[in-house]
Amino acid sequence: MSLTEHGPVRRQQFHQRLGILHHTHLHRTLMARFPAAFNTRWTRRHWLHASLFVTVGVLLATIVPGFSSQLQPATPLHATLPLSLPPQTVKPPVASQPGHQWEVVQVQPGQTLGGLFSQMGVPARTMHQILEQPGNREPLTRLRPGAELAFALDESRALRGFRFDRSPTQRVELSLAGDKVHEKVLERATTTRVAVTSAEIDHSLYAAGRKAGLSPAAIAVMTDQIFSYDIDFKDVQPGDRFSAVVEETWREGERVGPGRILAATFATGGKTYTGFRFEREGKAEYFTHDGRPLKKSFIRMPIPYARLSSKFGARRHPVLGKMRMHKGVDYAATTGTPIMAAGDARVQFVGQQRGYGNVVILDHGKGHTTLYAHMSRFGKIKRGQHVGQGSVIGYVGSTGLATGPHLHYEFRVNGVHRNPLSVTMPPPEPLKGAELAAFRAQAAPAMARIESMERLMYATASAQKAAPRNKRG
């Protein structure tokens, strides 16, 4: 066989040998570039080193993310306290009927019901239709700022539903269809809580009361009902303090209503006055700790913020110019100032009497009567009517023989004139027997609450004030 005949076979063998030689040379070249440990057969020592490197690498991969997290800014510390939350209430549906969308409006200061209906495009005839429903007129005509009214309007903006709160516990929802009004009353769950508050007066009683959480109405009860007979609040000084136990009504996490004051104390002028609420014969009154009414039988000054212009006794009459006995006292005030009944009474006379002009005479029982003269006009009273202490019976004027607007006030005992500024007023009837026992059982826990609160507040305040002195010593 010649080379020509076997040429392809030999060329193939030649290339295979050439490839083997090239591969061997490349392998030696590459292996020469690696460390000696890779160019020789691995021993146990090589495998031990390799496993050690692998273990170190795994550890680094695990630990390094931990270090990186430490480099992040630390989150602030906080604590979560478990709170007892009121049960979740189900809100009324957003629409009373398909296609009727509720629009809620909040009453702003100075707004009237008529203005709100006009703002919503509801005619006055529809408003009067709602007011004619029993029980609606009084709550809707005495709206307070913040109250919410809901209007359900259809596509043509005609009123189909109306919703408002008749009381803290009742929500009224009306459905209107033509001249027919269907009413649905929804009872709203409320809870009652008793809170204790105390404050020291810095600048004003009102500011201290608001800061302590009392409503303006509660502050007025404390000043105008509980302590009005014993404390002249124009003389209250910084450092005086008060405490109160208040019964509050809550609805859906919101406090509603001003809250009734169950008990209160007021410290001023080195003396502490107390008052406790108790119902006697169905009427709520305030009493001292020993069961004596705080409300006196008579108030000495039946007109607020007035100036004493003439005292009781002999004087020269300012109009007649003659010496005459002045059988009462005069209080100068502007025309139209309200005049109050000095005590609970029956109206004995309403009309005109010679030089007295417009006069009201009240019969308080047990031979005690009071007279009020020179009125510009009368209050809403009539003869034989019973009026309560503090009720407005008329307004200051200058009718009759008077040189200017003032109130002439007389106090009589069995027909004899007495000086209203110095006469000994008859004391009110104290609690007795079973009523007194019930009062004491009710007042004791309230007083204990006040004493506990004051020990906590003012003992801490005294310790804080004493701390700087101790440091200086």
Side-chain angles (χ1 to χ4, degrees):
M1 183 179 297
S2 65
L3 182 61
T4 304
E5 295 175 354
H6 301 282
V9 176
R10 290 187 176 182
R11 281 197 296 272
Q12 183 178 0
Q13 293 176 352
F14 173 76
H15 286 298
Q16 288 176 352
R17 291 176 181 176
L18 183 61
I20 292 172
L21 291 174
H22 178 72
H23 176 73
T24 303
H25 175 73
L26 180 62
H27 175 73
R28 289 176 178 175
T29 303
L30 291 174
M31 293 302 291
R33 297 180 180 180
F34 284 89
F38 292 93
N39 297 332
T40 60
R41 185 175 182 179
W42 280 25
T43 63
R44 181 177 298 177
R45 179 176 154 190
H46 294 151
W47 286 109
L48 182 62
H49 288 171
S51 61
L52 180 61
F53 289 140
V54 172
T55 303
V56 172
V58 172
L59 290 175
L60 287 175
T62 305
I63 296 173
V64 168
F67 282 112
S68 64
S69 65
Q70 296 298 320
L71 297 177
Q72 300 298 325
T75 56
L77 296 176
H78 67 279
T80 303
L81 299 178
L83 298 177
S84 177
L85 297 176
Q88 185 176 2
T89 56
V90 179
K91 294 184 177 181
V94 296
S96 57
Q97 299 178 17
H100 300 169
Q101 186 70 33
W102 285 110
E103 295 186 25
V104 180
V105 177
Q106 191 174 68
V107 179
Q108 302 299 319
Q111 281 189 317
T112 62
L113 185 67
L116 288 168
F117 270 73
S118 177
Q119 174 184 323
M120 298 301 296
V122 179
R125 183 181 63 82
T126 304
M127 180 187 71
H128 290 296
Q129 184 182 3
I130 292 173
L131 290 175
E132 290 172 0
Q133 299 299 308
N136 287 356
R137 182 172 296 274
E138 183 174 353
L140 287 175
T141 54
R142 296 184 178 181
L143 294 173
R144 294 184 176 182
E148 291 184 347
L149 305 177
F151 298 78
L153 306 172
D154 61 14
E155 294 82 356
S156 61
R157 303 294 292 176
L159 185 66
R160 299 304 179 194
F162 181 68
R163 190 175 66 218
F164 68 96
D165 292 335
R166 180 176 289 169
S167 70
T169 60
Q170 285 188 339
R171 170 166 286 180
V172 177
E173 187 173 304
L174 304 176
S175 299
L176 289 81
D179 293 333
K180 295 183 179 180
V181 179
H182 175 72
E183 179 182 287
K184 181 170 63 175
V185 179
L186 307 174
E187 294 294 335
R188 308 184 71 185
T190 60
T191 57
T192 301
R193 306 177 189 175
V194 176
V196 186
T197 186
S198 185
E200 186 173 286
I201 298 173
D202 291 330
H203 303 291
S204 73
L205 170 60
Y206 183 82
R210 295 295 287 150
K211 188 176 181 180
L214 293 178
S215 65
I219 297 172
V221 167
M222 190 165 59
T223 58
D224 299 344
Q225 294 185 31
I226 303 177
F227 301 119
S228 61
Y229 301 92
D230 299 308
I231 301 174
D232 185 351
F233 286 96
K234 297 190 296 293
D235 296 333
V236 169
Q237 300 294 325
D240 293 345
R241 64 194 191 197
F242 62 88
S243 301
V245 179
V246 185
E247 185 181 71
E248 301 175 336
T249 302
W250 288 74
R251 183 191 65 216
E252 300 174 5
E254 179 184 4
R255 185 175 66 181
V256 293
R260 299 187 304 179
I261 295 184
L262 303 181
T265 64
F266 204 104
T268 181
K271 186 176 181 180
T272 299
Y273 301 89
T274 60
F276 300 90
R277 188 180 189 274
F278 184 73
E279 290 190 7
R280 176 167 61 173
E281 299 177 355
K283 184 179 180 181
E285 299 179 52
Y286 287 93
F287 299 82
T288 62
H289 68 281
D290 56 356
R292 296 185 178 276
L294 286 170
K295 176 183 176 181
K296 302 299 187 287
S297 297
F298 295 89
I299 53 178
R300 293 192 182 275
M301 190 172 176
I303 180 172
Y305 312 113
R307 176 178 58 86
L308 180 66
S309 57
S310 184
K311 297 181 180 180
F312 182 88
R315 66 160 189 177
R316 184 178 297 276
H317 195 278
V319 176
L320 300 177
K322 299 178 180 180
M323 292 297 296
R324 295 181 62 176
M325 181 67 180
H326 191 223
K327 298 179 180 180
V329 292
D330 292 346
Y331 292 104
T334 58
T335 300
T337 302
I339 301 169
M340 301 178 294
D344 298 339
R346 179 181 61 86
V347 179
Q348 186 181 86
F349 178 85
V350 180
Q352 293 185 342
Q353 286 189 1
R354 301 187 300 275
Y356 283 153
N358 292 330
V359 174
V360 171
I361 300 176
L362 301 180
D363 182 1
H364 304 275
K366 298 182 179 180
H368 295 82
T369 60
T370 52
L371 179 144
Y372 312 79
H374 304 305
M375 293 183 177
S376 60
R377 59 190 176 95
F378 302 112
K380 295 180 179 179
I381 59 173
K382 60 183 178 180
R383 185 174 179 178
Q385 176 183 344
H386 287 272
V387 294
Q389 186 182 78
S391 301
V392 175
I393 57 174
Y395 301 87
V396 169
S398 55
T399 57
L401 295 177
T403 57
H406 71 281
L407 167 67
H408 173 79
Y409 173 57
E410 295 182 5
F411 191 93
R412 303 173 184 175
V413 180
N414 297 322
V416 179
H417 291 84
R418 300 289 181 86
N419 185 350
L421 301 180
S422 60
V423 65
T424 300
M425 299 294 185
E429 289 292 326
L431 295 172
K432 299 177 182 178
E435 283 186 333
L436 180 59
F439 167 77
R440 286 174 175 170
Q442 181 176 310
M447 192 64 199
R449 286 174 178 263
I450 289 177
E451 291 175 347
S452 178
M453 169 64 78
E454 291 184 346
R455 281 196 301 269
L456 178 64
M457 284 190 62
Y458 301 116
T460 302
S462 299
Q464 291 175 347
K465 291 179 181 179
R469 292 196 297 267
N470 294 336
K471 289 180 180 179
R472 288 195 296 269

